[in-house]
Amino acid sequence: MAIAVLPEHTPTGLLIAGRWTDATGQLPVQDPATQRTLAMVGDASVDDALAAVTAAAAAFPAWAARPARERAEVLRTAFELMTAELEDCARLIVLENGKAWNDAMAEARYAADFLRWFSEEAVRIEGGFRDAPAGDKTIITDHRPAGVAYLITPWNFPAAMATRKLAPALAAGCTTVLKPAEATPLTALWIAEVLRRVGVPDGTVNVITTSQPGPVSEAVLADPRVSTLSFTGSTPVGKLLLAQTAQRALTSSMELGGNAPFLVLEGADVEAAIAGAMVAKMRNGGAACTAANRFYVHASVAEAFNSGFRAALSELQVGPGIDRTNDLGAMVSLEERDKITSLLDTAAEEGGEVAACSTAPEHGAFLAPHLVTGVEHGSVLTRHEVFGPVVPIVVYEAQDEVIRMANDTEYGLISYVFGPDPGTGIAVARQLESGMVAIDRGMISDAAAPFGGMKESGIGREGGFHGIHEFLETRYLGVSL
Ligand code: NAD
């Protein structure tokens, strides 16, 4: 049930077996900028979730048997429809997530790109045919769709995290049950409707929204008809789900939390580093797993970097994302904002100099950008994934020291390096323990590149050539040929 004016084609029910159906309960979706309720969506029970699994299992044989070219064409048409209606998608992202309009448009574009990329990958799944080293047989390999895929997504990229999973799963020939985050279900429902509108067969894409992700997911993962889990979210929830998938030795891919270091090396171009830092930190208001979380700046450039960054932050206009002139929108909820302000309080108690660089509206989940100087490595802001517009700066002297500090975390998703030249940047990047390194750039996410983390930031890769393999089983045929 929509309460505010939502874009056309925004369903609010559960998508099960190709039909939008009512759940037993309802779940409110709030606009964090205004605190008003946008819509009531279905609050799926365990039974609803298992009905979605039944639909996905029934649809699997036919979808898996569809020629890859046909699966590709469905995805390509979905890309075209989504691109034609990109502003509707962005509007929903802004309304339920709070982010700024430009960030929402960028996310919608990025999300659509996964549909295009995997439409292209669907027809390029390679196999192998070769002699065994002993000469006694031929080794043939091919890839089969894994089966029913359970997809769990977070609130910070409600569109892109959905398509980054749905597109490769469908390209591979899997059928899906998608469970979006309870704070931001509308965008995922809209995307599912795009897929339905372009002719995805009934049961191939099912969506359950729920206020009880724990019990619902536990039941789904225990169901023997489910073959794989793809999760994006926090590391603690990822670990909990890994324990559950272990019960069935289920394959799973995990895109988890980050604590990205941003290194400004001696001799770096300070202006370029500030421009990169603005993107790496402020995109999505800092609520990105890839957000630069802690800044390590060489002493020789620290003063210029700090004052330039502060000046750039002070230009940011904070306010509702629906007003396209605002640069920084709302946090996803008041609770999320309060978590960040309490981290800032702790940083100040630890001796950091905390300064708000601009102002934010009092009502709604807004937070002004903050710069924190005098930060020691090991203090609270260098240990926690802040997920907000907070810039803690640590000044360092020696390159081996900064590499040690950058790697001194259980996370390993992404790092940023700004150096005097690309060679130095690459040499430092190769010593960093993260799945991705941005060199002289503030953003590297790309549907065509492998996205994922080392250490406790995840298992597996999404996007690129790797992403489709999260939804495929490799099969080996040994033949006396
Ligand atoms: P979260 O872990 O709280 O929630 C993520 C999803 O898991 C939601 O759909 C939620 O409903 C579900 N969930 C929560 N508890 C569950 C349970 N007990 N069983 C099953 N599912 C459960 O994370 P969040 O707050 O929504 O998102 C922020 C986190 O996601 C951050 O840590 C961020 O770094 C991470 N993230 C990672 C990536 C990546 O690609 N590595 C991308 C975006 C966000």
Side-chain angles (χ1 to χ4, degrees), residues 449-472:
F451 186 108
M454 293 181 182
K455 305 200 299 196
E456 294 192 16
S457 284
I459 302 171
R461 293 293 180 271
E462 292 193 322
F465 301 122
H466 302 68
I468 200 165
H469 284 277
E470 302 292 347
F471 298 97
L472 291 167

Side-chain angles (χ1 to χ4, degrees), residues 150 152-157 161 164 179-182 210 213-215 217-218 231-238 240-241 244 254-258 288-290 336 339 385 387 413 451-453 457 462:
Y150 185 43
I152 305 180
T153 54
W155 51 260
N156 63 335
F157 285 97
M161 298 304 97
R164 198 167 75 178
K179 196 215 75 60
E182 45 276 47
T210 180
S217 298
E218 200 170 354
F231 172 77
T232 298
S234 62
T235 296
V237 173
L240 194 91
L241 292 169
Q244 290 171 22
M254 294 277 150
E255 297 291 346
L256 307 178
C289 53
T290 51
E336 198 63 23
K339 260 193 236 166
E385 185 182 30
F387 240 56
L413 187 61
F451 186 108
S457 284
E462 292 193 322

Side-chain angles (χ1 to χ4, degrees), residues 75 106 109 150 203 210 221 227 246 249 267 298 323 352 372-373 391 396 411 448 452 468 480:
L75 288 171
R109 227 173 271 119
Y150 185 43
T210 180
L221 293 172
S227 300
H298 190 265
D323 172 349
V372 189
T373 49
V391 179
Y396 76 92
Y411 294 106
I468 200 165
S480 295

Side-chain angles (χ1 to χ4, degrees), residues 5 25 74 101 127 137 157 233 239 272 330 340 343-344 384 386 394 434 438:
V5 182
V74 169
W101 176 262
K137 60 185 168 309
F157 285 97
K239 287 180 180 174
I340 299 166
L343 285 170
L344 284 169
H384 286 265
V386 179
V394 179
S434 62

Side-chain angles (χ1 to χ4, degrees), residues 6-25:
L6 300 179
E8 207 189 342
H9 306 299
T10 309
T12 54
L14 310 177
L15 181 59
I16 298 176
R19 272 190 301 282
W20 291 105
T21 51
D22 290 335
T24 341

Side-chain angles (χ1 to χ4, degrees), residues 53-73:
V53 172
T54 300
F60 175 66
W63 182 247
R66 282 280 280 273
R69 173 70 72 203
E70 288 181 43
R71 295 201 299 263
E73 278 165 3

